[in-house]
Amino acid sequence: MQEVSQISEFGKILVFLITGFVLTGGLLLLNKLIAPDKPNAEKLSSYECGEEPTGSSWVQLNSRFYVIALIFLLFDVEMVFVFPWATVFGSHELIAQDERWGWLSLAEMFVFMGILILGLIYVWVKGDLEWIKTKVVQPRVQVNIPASVYNKINEISYATIPFSTEEKTENIVVKEASATTVVRKPMFKPTLKKP
């Protein structure tokens, strides 16, 4: 007599997932309850691979890093498709049953690799693989504003105001090339919340 399982295969996966979530949540809760909470300047500073952090951690990252990372991911994910192909192409039992499997898998891989190589050639010709762009592209727009207006704007000298958390009530005097202007301080004080 064949025994009937009390739980299906999907039920086993569900029990496994529920157990994983309960254990993970329980351990996080236990950590929150018993771990000491003593923040200091060293713990709250940004981690820079063991180096002493210098400057602010809010620095803009060069967008070229993203391009290189995306191209790396493209060719890294390619390997996920090459391994199953190699398994099918190298299976002597499958090819022995029908020789068309070998030719079909070979043709599919040539099409797949061809598309990837075309993508690489496109990125290469476009110049996205070059770290330093040698050709400067000047944007060209059709506007009805004369160039003298732009030149006047560029001739004005602007003063930068250093950021300070202290509240000041005096007005700031900005000296321009032609006249002295009084600029009023904003009526609000920015507040920063610490996490």
Side-chain angles (χ1 to χ4, degrees):
M1 184 172 182
Q2 186 179 9
E3 288 190 33
V4 178
S5 177
Q6 295 294 324
I7 188 168
S8 69
E9 295 299 319
F10 290 115
K12 292 175 186 175
I13 294 172
L14 180 64
V15 168
F16 181 76
L17 287 174
I18 290 173
T19 305
F21 280 119
V22 168
L23 286 177
T24 304
L27 289 174
L28 288 173
L29 182 66
L30 182 68
N31 180 39
K32 190 72 172 167
L33 292 175
I34 65 173
D37 185 25
K38 297 178 182 176
N40 58 29
E42 189 70 28
K43 288 181 183 177
L44 296 176
S45 67
S46 6
Y47 178 71
E48 293 185 7
C49 299
E51 298 290 329
E52 285 293 323
T54 56
S56 173
S57 61
W58 292 96
V59 191
Q60 289 184 348
L61 187 67
N62 195 332
S63 62
R64 292 179 286 193
F65 287 112
Y66 293 113
V67 173
I68 298 298
L70 286 174
I71 292 170
F72 168 75
L73 282 176
L74 171 74
F75 291 103
D76 194 40
V77 170
E78 167 195 349
M79 296 310 296
V80 171
F81 296 107
V82 171
F83 284 129
W85 168 80
T87 304
V88 170
F89 191 71
S91 173
H92 298 294
E93 296 84 21
L94 188 62
I95 294 176
Q97 289 178 3
D98 192 354
E99 289 184 10
R100 292 180 293 180
W101 279 110
W103 290 109
L104 178 66
S105 63
L106 185 64
E108 284 179 343
M109 187 47 60
F110 275 130
V111 168
F112 178 69
M113 295 295 281
I115 291 170
L116 284 175
I117 289 171
L118 282 176
L120 176 64
I121 290 170
Y122 172 75
V123 169
W124 197 334
V125 168
K126 193 175 173 189
D128 286 338
L129 294 178
E130 297 175 13
W131 190 255
I132 298 174
K133 306 265 185 190
T134 55
K135 186 172 87 173
V136 178
V137 178
Q138 292 290 334
R140 305 214 181 261
V141 293
Q142 297 284 337
V143 293
N144 296 327
I145 301 171
S148 61
V149 174
Y150 290 114
N151 291 335
K152 285 180 184 176
I153 292 173
N154 290 334
E155 288 174 359
I156 298 173
S157 62
Y158 296 96
T160 58
I161 303 167
F163 178 76
S164 174
T165 56
E166 299 173 6
E167 191 171 331
K168 294 182 181 178
T169 56
E170 74 254 10
N171 294 330
I172 300 165
V173 177
V174 178
K175 293 183 180 178
E176 294 184 5
S178 61
T180 304
T181 308
V182 175
V183 178
R184 299 221 178 258
K185 185 167 171 58
M187 299 302 291
F188 68 93
K189 178 182 176 188
T191 57
L192 303 173
K193 295 181 179 179
K194 292 185 179 179

